[in-house]
Amino acid sequence: LSNPDAELAALEADRAVAAAEAGLAQLAAQLDGTRLAQESTVAGLDADVSMATRRKEIDGAMAQRGVISDLEGAESADRAGQLSARREFEKRRLAALRRGNTAQLEAQHAQVQRLRALAQFRRKQLDGLHVRAGQPGVVQQVAVEAGQSVPAGAPLAKVVVPDRLQARLRIPEGSAGDIALGLRSE
């Protein structure tokens, strides 16, 4: 049997799955790029904080000896504190980004799974259009014509099992005594 609507629905479902999987791969790549950029920012700030901390220690020692002014020593300390605070903020931002990425990926995975289930259902409907006899045998009679619409459950053909033929005789009760082995019937 064929049903163009069922075939189209199965193809559309398969296309939707492919599109969702491509969207998932694209989202994963995009989120990885964003995460890596944030990790790079944090790593850069780690280096800046280390440098500012060393500068603060050196400028503090130089300010105590009078080589540079106390103002310059205080500016170095302020810069180190500012960079340290910014680094902590960027680390929290990175953690939030990771949680958000995980949630987005899980949502996209769920969408792909839902579309896969729908595609599987559509393919099952399409497979249901393949007519199979309930038993092996020989098709004796086809009850429908090509192109004819049939309701679900309607008989389509008559299949006989040649090695298990049966005959049923209907004889009135009064004539049952006249039956014997070897009698011919017409």
Side-chain angles (χ1 to χ4, degrees), residues 149-168:
S149 293
V150 289
L156 302 176
K158 186 176 185 181
V159 177
V160 244
V161 182
D163 56 344
R164 289 183 27 205
L165 292 177
Q166 295 180 359
R168 290 191 183 144

Side-chain angles (χ1 to χ4, degrees), residues 1-2 142-150 156:
L1 301 177
S2 69
V142 177
V144 294
E145 296 177 18
Q148 178 180 349
S149 293
V150 289
L156 302 176

Side-chain angles (χ1 to χ4, degrees), residues 48 52 74-84:
D48 289 348
E75 283 178 353
S76 293
D78 289 345
R79 175 88 176 132
Q82 178 188 24
L83 285 172
S84 181

